[in-house]
Amino acid sequence: MSGRDPEEDRVREAARVGVEALIPPQKVVRHSVRGQVLDALREALADGELAPGEIYSGPALGERYGVSATPVREAMQQLALEGAVECLPNRGFRVLARTPRAMAELAEVRALLEVPVVLRLARAVPAQAWAALRPAAAGAAEAAEAGDPAGYAEADRAFHREVLSLGGNEQLVSVAQDLHRRSQWPLPGAPRARRAELVADAAEHTALLEALIAGDLPLAEQVLRRHFGAG
């Protein structure tokens, strides 16, 4: 025979239910508002909608994106860390202007980082693994065909990320992605990227994969260096 008191059990159960009632339901949010605003601002930078040298306020951008100024300021602070904007106290954020020399230096650093890594991977990664990256190259080609600079910028980064991820070095991928993003912000007064330029750039992704699938390292290196403007 149990020595438990039924009345005590009922009190404990009531207390448990009462405590649970005080805990608000948790909703899973796939993307935070800050993250969505950050993505939108990055797209506007890549597309040239946020012009170099111009100053933008948090409230004005918040109104543009239908959010409060807080997530805009948080996103802008991230962009400041990435070197895209500078914070101006009590004024807002100025989009930093790039110079042709700075863009050339970024391209050189990217080449120094990615070319040897990809060539090293080419000696170890099987052909079927390279072939599995064809959808990523096709995605970039589709964005290029559509003449969508912002969409192509994202697809271009995705392709390079998948290539470098085959090495399993997450820190390298993170550094390369940061450099890549910085290199995609347009120069002051630069015209919108033409569809033909995007298509030509995307074609180099496909050419690189085909060379890697075929095991043609000299051709792969040639395509890579041309892709980065490094020879």
Side-chain angles (χ1 to χ4, degrees):
M1 181 174 179
S2 173
R4 296 180 59 132
D5 185 346
E7 181 62 26
E8 183 179 347
D9 288 344
R10 282 195 295 271
V11 171
R12 287 178 177 174
E13 178 64 15
R16 182 186 66 80
V17 173
V19 170
E20 290 180 352
L22 295 175
I23 302 174
Q26 301 295 314
K27 294 183 179 180
V28 177
V29 180
R30 295 187 62 182
H31 298 288
S32 67
V33 174
R34 172 187 173 279
Q36 293 177 30
V37 172
L38 181 58
D39 289 342
L41 290 173
R42 283 172 171 165
E43 181 175 334
L45 282 167
D47 211 24
E49 293 178 16
L50 296 182
E54 293 295 322
I55 298 174
Y56 299 90
S57 72
L61 289 173
E63 184 176 348
R64 172 178 178 176
Y65 294 115
V67 299
S68 71
T70 299
V72 173
R73 292 193 182 101
E74 291 174 347
M76 279 294 194
Q77 287 167 359
Q78 175 60 37
L79 290 175
L81 292 176
E82 296 175 4
V85 303
E86 64 174 334
C87 301
L88 303 175
N90 302 318
R91 296 181 64 191
F93 304 87
R94 178 188 287 121
V95 178
L96 293 177
R98 301 284 163 152
T99 64
R101 176 173 178 174
M103 299 298 278
E105 288 174 348
L106 281 169
E108 181 181 6
V109 174
R110 287 189 64 210
L112 289 171
L113 179 67
E114 295 193 36
V115 172
V117 170
V118 175
L119 293 179
R120 175 174 57 80
L121 291 174
R123 297 179 174 87
V125 174
Q128 58 267 30
W130 294 118
L133 301 188
R134 280 174 171 153
E142 289 174 7
E145 288 287 351
D148 177 9
Y152 179 72
E154 183 175 352
D156 183 28
R157 289 196 310 275
F159 174 80
H160 284 265
R161 181 173 61 249
E162 290 203 25
V163 169
L164 295 176
S165 292
L166 291 175
N169 188 327
E170 295 181 3
Q171 296 303 314
L172 182 145
V173 173
S174 177
V175 170
Q177 284 283 288
D178 180 62
L179 290 170
H180 196 165
R181 193 185 301 280
R182 291 168 185 259
S183 72
Q184 291 176 323
W185 298 321
L187 293 168
R192 180 184 174 93
R194 293 179 298 177
R195 175 179 170 278
E197 295 171 338
L198 299 179
V199 170
D201 196 69
E204 291 177 345
H205 295 161
T206 301
L208 172 62
L209 282 186
E210 296 308 316
L212 291 169
I213 292 168
D216 190 337
L217 269 64
L219 178 57
E221 181 173 4
Q222 179 184 345
V223 173
L224 272 173
R225 294 192 177 282
R226 182 171 68 243
H227 192 60
F228 290 114

